[in-house]
Amino acid sequence: LAKTTQPISMDSYEGQEVNITCSHNNIATNDYITWYQQFPSQGPRFIIQGYKTKVTNEVASLFIPADRKSSTLSLPRVSLSDTAVYYCLVGVASGGSYIPTFGRGTSLIVHP
Amino acid sequence: DTEVTQTPKHLVMGMTNKKSLKCEQHMGHRAMYWYKQKAKKPPELMFVYSYEKLSINESVPSRFSPECPNSSLLNLHLHALQPEDSALYLCASSQDQFRSGNTLTRTLHFGNGTRLTVT
């Protein structure tokens, strides 16, 4: 089963770059890696998704090595509003389907 | 604002009550999901509907009864709940259900949830 492992928490300061790594040793060949951000009492919000190498959008970058056993979410120049829980998500195979399964999440606190 | 709308935002119910949670999306997505999230824990999948049919039930107790009246609506009927069922209930949708060999991008769109308190 593809499961994910992330650090439970991280601290950073405004203006710094933050890198959060997720391990997914048993990821399926055709599965994507997706990262979500969640604020208290809100639903998770899509940040970025990738299959291999590097993906970049207006808010983040995602680095995926060739073996795809891990991925790193990079948040450039964080601000206080980036304080949130960050989840990586892969599919867990079950009876021909994939169950979108969240890891434990990384609680990021950005300090002034 | 999200593209997935959940009502009500908050719900308090007694253990003998019957209530329903509602979810609506108009993105043309064919898969819809119910997740349960306890405080400081990740969302846990409860049910998946694909093309209006129940596809996955993650061994959820029968006091939770899902319903998908049409491709845009998803309900969760609640009856005889326990205090430990208090949680944030999240609805999500995606273009299609995650499947082996399906390379469609698998992006979940979440609502902001219903905060349920069982007294």
Side-chain angles (χ1 to χ4, degrees):
Chain A
L1 296 179
K3 293 186 179 178
T4 61
T5 304
Q6 304 173 231
I8 292 174
S9 62
M10 295 182 72
D11 287 87
S12 185
Y13 292 89
E14 284 190 289
Q16 289 191 335
E17 177 185 75
V18 171
N19 296 310
I20 306 174
T21 297
C22 178
S23 297
H24 28 78
N25 291 321
N26 298 317
I27 188 170
T29 303
N30 62 354
D31 201 8
Y32 285 75
I33 300 135
T34 314
W35 284 81
Y36 292 83
Q37 175 192 55
Q38 187 177 26
F39 298 111
S41 297
Q42 292 187 22
R45 184 175 68 96
F46 172 88
I47 302 174
I48 197 165
Q49 183 179 76
Y51 182 76
K52 61 181 178 180
T53 63
K54 177 183 174 182
V55 179
T56 297
N57 62 22
E58 62 275 11
V59 298
S61 295
L62 180 60
F63 300 90
I64 305 169
D67 66 7
R68 299 189 353 106
K69 292 183 184 296
S70 66
S71 59
T72 298
L73 173 71
S74 181
L75 304 173
R77 299 179 298 282
V78 294
S79 64
L80 296 177
S81 62
D82 293 317
T83 294
V85 179
Y86 293 83
Y87 294 100
C88 75
L89 182 146
V90 298
V92 175
S94 176
S97 296
Y98 282 96
I99 298 174
T101 302
F102 286 85
R104 293 180 61 182
T106 298
S107 177
L108 172 66
I109 299 175
V110 179
H111 302 277
Chain B
D1 288 346
T2 70
E3 296 167 302
V4 176
T5 303
Q6 290 189 244
T7 55
K9 287 187 170 62
H10 301 276
L11 178 64
V12 179
M13 61 184 291
M15 289 189 284
T16 59
N17 291 158
K18 287 185 181 180
K19 296 286 185 183
S20 297
L21 309 184
K22 297 185 183 302
C23 175
E24 189 169 1
Q25 59 88 13
H26 294 288
M27 295 177 282
H29 288 174
R30 304 316 301 258
M32 296 186 77
Y33 308 76
W34 281 115
Y35 280 84
K36 173 182 177 179
Q37 186 174 28
K38 302 282 278 185
K40 300 190 185 301
K41 299 289 186 184
E44 294 181 359
L45 184 68
M46 299 174 73
F47 302 104
V48 180
Y49 271 82
S50 177
Y51 289 84
E52 301 163 44
K53 291 189 179 351
L54 183 64
S55 176
I56 294 175
N57 177 340
E58 286 287 272
S59 302
V60 179
S62 59
R63 57 185 184 270
F64 295 91
S65 176
E67 177 196 20
C68 189
N70 60 56
S71 60
S72 300
L73 295 174
L74 186 66
N75 298 323
L76 186 62
H77 302 297
L78 314 172
H79 174 54
L81 295 194
Q82 303 297 312
E84 58 264 29
D85 296 321
S86 298
L88 181 67
Y89 287 84
L90 294 162
C91 173
S93 68
S94 63
Q95 274 189 346
D96 198 350
Q97 183 181 348
F98 290 32
R99 287 194 189 280
S100 175
N102 184 334
T103 57
L104 288 175
T105 57
R106 296 161 183 169
T107 303
L108 296 172
H109 297 252
F110 282 87
N112 280 327
T114 294
R115 175 73 61 188
L116 174 68
T117 302
V118 182
T119 60

